[in-house]
Amino acid sequence: MQTVKMVITGPFSSGKTEFIRAISEIDVVTTERGISSESERTVKDYTTVAMDFGRITVDDDLVLYLFGTPGQRRFDFMWEILAEGMLGFVVMVDSTKPETFREAKSILETFKAYAPTPYVVAANKQDLPDAWNIDDLRIALRIEEGVKLLPCVAADKESVKHVLLELLYSILEEMERG
Amino acid sequence: MPLQGNLRDFSTTQLLNLINLAGKSGTLLLYESVKTGTKDAIGGDKMTAGKERARVAFKVGKLISAMLDGQSGDLVSVLNKAGKLSNEQARIIRERAKSTSDKALALLLINANYVTQKDVVRSVQQHTLDVVHNLLSWAEGPFRFEDNLLPSNDMILVPIDLENVIIEGARQIKEVEQLTSHIPHLDMALKFPENPREKFKGVHLSVEEWKVVSFVNPKNTMQQIAKANNMSENEIRRIVYGLEQAGLVEIIKPPAAESTTSGGRPKPRAPQVQKTVVTRLIDRIRSI
């Protein structure tokens, strides 16, 4: 049995768990815990402690695992471990929270440095009225033209499929380039 | 969709860059911060917009006007500030042309040979740039960009390319970054070099530099010196950097900390998978 993995990363509360939950064929093995910090609790009640884990079975001998990284920086020692052997990665950005853009960019640069694998950026929560539009986000996050910045709604399976497919197309293109 | 946030997270320079690259038209409104008492997504104090502090207008990515709250930006004040009208002339014109628009007033003043058209354009341009250069140093405050909200037609609008403004902003930020990289924290102390008498001979220091020099002692950290002199972190960094470059003080650096990275540990590798694996994954996800 061959297993491949993709990493879903991004700042705290950017929608990583929801993204994996929308597409995984198993209930996401989530390691969420009640949030102890008062400030973080105002955003959501639970957060990912070590990692989320979702699975998509292709056939009897191929399985794709989706790993969600914990959003808080204090768990970033886990990131390098999760990045080991990844086929590609998705950086989730909450389009309604400009205060997290710098963190998202920093996470993106960190993962780029871990491994030279293709990646896409998913601009999550595009269904909300306060969401920054894609063109503004590209400039704000200083994402080069060649990198895919995709509108996303993590709760919507079709939207998540679109992001994963775009990442796979990028991986394929990279392979074809040699 | 609104372009809104806080300068703490997205600086004025970054905003100008965005507006320039996207060729936006509208008005950027900057507000005073009012704490909401709650925390934002990364644990900072959540702020809401209070009183308006400034408004800056743009047309197709070019700066066209800028106003600070509480600062008179009418044509007479602008020309007075630029030295094109005396205080007395400004007072008389204000009295006589109370309800005249800036554009109409400019025509009257040009026709009466008080000023030239060039004077008007340059003064308005300089006023706009002065306001925006001021904004570049603002590090905090809610902002909102109102698409297509433009100043009234009777104002004098002088389009200014944003590139130079952005370069100036970037220069200021770069200066702070360079200083911070040279003096990463202020818990280090200062000491005089050997033969300080020789070094200081014939040197003319500013008042601020003397204030710092008077506290130089291996027992005083730069943080303490800044506090004693009521200086900001950047101010003391700039002064210490200058004094150090001139060989007048030395920074007592702590012993180099050992690298906390896992030295020698190999970077994670990308997996070696075949193209067929990726195409199978694509087919599977399409079918979900």
Side-chain angles (χ1 to χ4, degrees):
Chain A
M1 161 97 60
Q2 184 176 5
T3 60
V4 287
K5 75 171 174 185
M6 289 182 183
V7 169
I8 316 300
T9 187
F12 170 71
S13 190
S14 56
K16 302 178 290 293
T17 305
E18 202 170 21
F19 183 96
I20 297 173
R21 197 167 277 158
I23 192 106
S24 174
E25 66 194 15
I26 57 166
D27 282 343
V28 173
V29 180
T30 182
T31 37
E32 288 191 328
R33 295 281 181 272
I35 292 173
S36 53
S37 151
E38 190 62 40
S39 63
E40 287 167 352
R41 200 182 299 130
T42 60
V43 180
K44 57 177 189 173
D45 289 333
Y46 290 88
T47 194
T48 307
V49 174
M51 60 185 185
D52 287 326
F53 173 62
R55 189 183 73 193
I56 298 170
T57 304
V58 177
D59 49 38
D60 286 345
D61 46 30
L62 179 60
V63 174
L64 169 66
Y65 288 124
L66 299 173
F67 287 92
T69 63
Q72 295 107 320
R73 274 281 177 175
R74 63 179 179 275
F75 297 118
D76 62 6
F77 63 92
M78 286 293 297
W79 294 359
E80 198 169 345
I81 299 166
L82 289 176
E84 175 76 41
M86 65 184 171
L87 197 58
F89 64 97
V90 177
V91 181
M92 303 286 295
V93 184
D94 183 338
S95 314
T96 67
K97 291 198 170 70
E99 66 267 28
T100 64
F101 294 170
R102 196 176 298 161
E103 175 75 355
K105 179 70 180 172
S106 160
I107 292 171
L108 167 57
E109 293 302 329
T110 305
F111 270 84
K112 265 170 72 178
Y114 285 154
T117 56
Y119 63 94
V120 296
V121 182
N124 192 21
K125 306 188 189 177
Q126 282 289 312
D127 53 333
L128 298 183
D130 281 352
W132 284 40
N133 73 41
I134 295 292
D135 292 339
D136 291 343
L137 271 171
R138 183 176 287 281
I139 296 169
L141 291 163
R142 298 190 305 281
I143 293 172
E144 302 95 27
E145 279 303 316
V147 175
K148 290 175 182 168
L149 173 57
L150 308 161
C152 174
V153 177
D156 173 20
K157 190 163 83 176
E158 288 305 313
S159 179
V160 171
K161 274 171 66 177
H162 174 66
V163 171
L164 287 178
L165 283 170
E166 287 298 331
L167 175 58
L168 285 163
Y169 298 148
S170 295
I171 293 166
L172 207 53
E173 282 164 21
E174 186 80 16
M175 285 177 164
E176 281 164 1
R177 271 200 295 268
Chain B
M1 282 185 246
L3 189 61
Q4 59 185 350
N6 194 303
L7 295 180
R8 184 177 57 192
D9 313 307
F10 204 72
S11 70
T12 314
T13 312
Q14 286 173 305
L15 272 173
L16 296 182
N17 194 31
L18 195 157
I19 291 163
N20 181 39
L21 292 177
K24 284 181 178 289
S25 296
T27 298
L28 177 65
L29 302 159
L30 300 158
Y31 301 95
E32 279 178 2
S33 291
V34 179
K35 282 187 185 175
T36 61
T38 56
K39 301 287 181 183
D40 65 21
I42 54 170
D45 285 320
K46 199 166 188 174
M47 301 290 184
T48 187
K51 197 177 151 207
E52 188 180 307
R53 295 170 77 194
R55 55 171 57 206
V56 189
F58 303 87
K59 197 165 183 183
V60 204
K62 284 187 193 296
L63 173 63
I64 54 170
S65 82
M67 276 188 290
L68 284 176
D69 180 59
Q71 188 186 78
S72 181
D74 63 275
L75 181 65
V76 177
S77 304
V78 167
L79 290 170
N80 180 221
K81 192 179 84 175
K84 304 295 174 191
L85 293 177
S86 67
N87 290 344
E88 185 58 15
Q89 285 172 322
R91 188 186 62 77
I92 294 167
I93 295 167
R94 273 199 197 99
E95 273 177 14
R96 292 184 187 170
K98 266 182 194 158
S99 54
T100 313
S101 73
D102 276 359
K103 262 188 189 166
L105 186 61
L107 279 176
L108 287 172
L109 293 174
I110 292 166
N111 288 337
N113 287 328
Y114 272 98
V115 290
T116 64
Q117 188 184 12
K118 209 180 209 176
D119 289 336
V120 173
V121 170
R122 280 197 180 161
S123 304
V124 170
Q125 196 171 39
Q126 192 54 52
H127 170 77
T128 306
L129 286 172
D130 287 347
V131 171
V132 175
H133 285 157
N134 185 346
L135 303 185
L136 292 174
S137 63
W138 293 9
E140 221 282 328
F143 67 80
R144 185 179 178 89
F145 187 84
E146 292 287 352
D147 275 319
N148 300 318
L149 173 68
L150 292 171
S152 65
N153 278 334
D154 53 11
M155 279 183 70
I156 298 171
L157 306 174
V158 183
I160 301 169
D161 285 334
L162 276 173
E163 281 86 353
N164 285 334
V165 183
I166 293 165
I167 288 167
E168 172 61 19
R171 192 193 63 74
Q172 285 180 17
I173 290 167
K174 195 142 186 86
E175 185 187 79
V176 171
E177 282 174 356
Q178 278 173 347
L179 290 171
T180 310
S181 126
H182 189 72
I183 307 173
H185 61 86
L186 299 178
D187 291 330
M188 296 180 284
L190 301 173
K191 65 173 186 178
F192 289 117
E194 283 180 26
N195 304 323
R197 198 181 296 271
E198 284 298 311
K199 298 254 163 100
F200 275 85
K201 203 179 273 180
V203 172
H204 295 283
L205 297 180
S206 68
V207 174
E208 298 299 305
E209 286 163 341
W210 273 120
K211 281 182 181 172
V212 173
V213 166
S214 63
F215 282 94
V216 170
N217 182 321
K219 287 178 186 167
N220 292 338
T221 65
M222 284 182 266
Q223 190 82 54
Q224 290 168 320
I225 298 174
K227 198 174 173 191
N229 287 313
N230 203 19
M231 286 174 177
S232 71
E233 292 196 354
N234 284 334
E235 277 174 310
I236 187 133
R237 276 196 175 95
R238 192 175 294 118
I239 292 168
V240 169
Y241 182 76
L243 292 172
E244 195 206 17
Q245 295 302 304
L248 302 175
V249 298
E250 289 173 4
I251 298 172
I252 306 173
K253 290 186 173 148
E258 274 188 37
S259 170
T260 53
T261 56
S262 46
R265 186 175 164 182
K267 274 189 171 185
R269 290 163 288 106
Q272 296 296 316
V273 295
Q274 292 181 333
K275 257 170 69 176
T276 53
V277 169
V278 179
T279 51
R280 281 159 69 197
L281 287 169
I282 290 172
D283 291 342
R284 173 70 181 107
I285 288 173
R286 276 185 187 148
S287 71
I288 293 173

